Amino acid sequence: MQITKASDAVGAVVEDVDVAQLSDDQFAELRSQFFDHGALFFKDQKLSPEDHIAFAERWNDIDVNRFFTPVEGYPQIAKVLKEPDQKLNIGGGWHTDHSYDEVPAMGSILYALEIPPSGGDTLFAGMHAAYEALDDDMKARIENLKALHGNAHIFGKDSAYREEVGGRYKNAENAGQEAIHPVVLKHPETGAKGLYVNPGFTLKILDVDEQESAELLQTLYAHIMQDRFHYRHKWEEGMLAMWDNRSTWHYALNDYQGHRRYLNRITVQGVPLN
Ligand code: SIN
């Protein structure tokens, strides 16, 4: 098994390994690299749904997503699908999965089944690198702040976005989860500090007025959106990507109109954040 950094800020590429046949030593190595790099990218995997589930369960129990349409017969696996005639993709904006939950999913494991001839890359951003690059004044300003996260504007019944995504999301009546998390998160496994707000699900920063919250979020988002904190993952069929939702953002690019893109995703349970 060979592991090389994907970029300075986030991710590592893992080669010469079959994730369906990992030894305990290989898994321990992957686990440590995963928390250090925030994301792992594997090529040439041949995974049945059962293999995908078994790999996910080596990390922790599966955190079944409430809103994505599951693969038939496999409620644990969410479809990330865009048909040739659909305009909007799933995940087409910077976000991190499940930050609206009190115990957000630790990681997401995405397996590529059908990739368009060009386009459909996923961008990743590293929250530790972004935090470390803040100046000391900003670090001090945000050190003890908390933010409110929620999902009704994305998955709820009044969401225009959900309407447009159409049948690919379900369960709108069960949306509305909200959770409060630190803006600066000490990673539960490594203790490294990172930013934990995201444009997809963070509603506001608490204990400051609305304008200050909006301005501060805007400043942090503009900082994180600099290319130097990113890695652009180009998919091939059979690739598997796994990211840590507590230390990365991701963004599925929607630049392949008229083509099908289909991946299966499993989210793995995390731990309370404090
Ligand atoms: C997601 O946001 O989980 C989907 C990412 C992708 O389709 O690349």
Side-chain angles (χ1 to χ4, degrees), residues 102-172:
E102 280 191 26
V103 180
M106 175 265 271
S108 304
I109 307 177
L110 189 63
Y111 181 55
L113 293 161
E114 215 171 317
I115 294 301
S118 68
D121 300 350
T122 306
L123 304 179
F124 290 86
M127 295 303 113
H128 295 317
Y131 172 78
E132 285 307 330
L134 292 172
D135 64 36
D136 288 346
D137 286 349
M138 180 57 94
K139 282 183 181 162
R141 181 171 171 205
I142 62 176
E143 178 67 21
N144 293 311
L145 293 177
K146 297 205 170 202
L148 177 69
H149 301 245
N151 64 20
H153 60 294
I154 300 290
F155 300 120
K157 54 184 176 15
D158 298 328
S159 160
Y161 167 75
R162 186 195 57 80
E163 276 282 310
E164 243 188 284
V165 167
R168 288 171 286 170
Y169 287 155
K170 60 185 180 70
N171 231 354

Side-chain angles (χ1 to χ4, degrees), residues 11-223:
V13 176
V14 189
E15 288 169 289
D16 299 330
V17 73
D18 175 355
V19 303
Q21 308 281 338
L22 287 174
S23 68
D24 288 346
D25 284 352
Q26 285 175 318
F27 181 71
E29 173 68 7
L30 282 185
R31 197 178 152 81
S32 135
Q33 297 280 345
F34 176 65
F35 293 127
D36 282 349
H37 295 288
L40 297 176
F41 305 100
F42 305 85
K43 262 181 121 167
D44 297 328
Q45 302 298 312
K46 289 195 177 50
L47 299 184
S48 64
E50 286 78 8
D51 293 331
H52 194 175
I53 291 168
F55 178 62
E57 285 178 337
R58 288 187 83 159
W59 296 84
N60 204 350
D61 292 343
I62 291 172
D63 184 340
V64 178
N65 185 281
R66 307 169 184 87
F67 308 111
F68 285 44
T69 301
V71 173
E72 208 175 315
Y74 298 95
Q76 309 94 318
I77 307 181
K79 280 183 171 181
V80 177
L81 173 65
K82 185 176 166 222
E83 295 288 7
D85 63 342
Q86 292 173 327
K87 292 285 172 268
L88 209 63
N89 69 337
I90 288 176
W94 284 115
H95 67 286
T96 190
D97 302 328
H98 289 227
S99 72
Y100 48 78
D101 281 332
E102 280 191 26
V103 180
M106 175 265 271
S108 304
I109 307 177
L110 189 63
Y111 181 55
L113 293 161
E114 215 171 317
I115 294 301
S118 68
D121 300 350
T122 306
L123 304 179
F124 290 86
M127 295 303 113
H128 295 317
Y131 172 78
E132 285 307 330
L134 292 172
D135 64 36
D136 288 346
D137 286 349
M138 180 57 94
K139 282 183 181 162
R141 181 171 171 205
I142 62 176
E143 178 67 21
N144 293 311
L145 293 177
K146 297 205 170 202
L148 177 69
H149 301 245
N151 64 20
H153 60 294
I154 300 290
F155 300 120
K157 54 184 176 15
D158 298 328
S159 160
Y161 167 75
R162 186 195 57 80
E163 276 282 310
E164 243 188 284
V165 167
R168 288 171 286 170
Y169 287 155
K170 60 185 180 70
N171 231 354
E173 59 292 351
N174 286 336
Q177 288 74 28
E178 291 190 346
I180 294 172
H181 300 298
V183 169
V184 178
L185 182 66
K186 262 200 192 155
H187 192 278
E189 299 284 339
T190 64
K193 285 183 179 176
L195 292 167
Y196 193 68
V197 285
N198 71 90
F201 298 114
T202 304
L203 303 177
K204 63 176 176 180
I205 293 181
L206 299 175
D207 299 325
V208 298
D209 67 37
E210 228 170 86
Q211 187 177 340
E212 188 178 348
S213 161
E215 282 171 7
L216 192 47
L217 285 174
Q218 200 41 53
T219 303
L220 293 173
Y221 294 162
H223 173 75

Side-chain angles (χ1 to χ4, degrees), residues 235-256:
W235 290 97
E236 290 166 19
E237 285 163 18
M239 275 185 173
L240 184 79
M242 171 166 192
W243 59 87
D244 186 333
N245 285 305
R246 293 86 47 96
S247 63
T248 61
W249 283 0
H250 58 282
Y251 180 159
L253 296 174
N254 188 16
D255 54 355
Y256 53 95

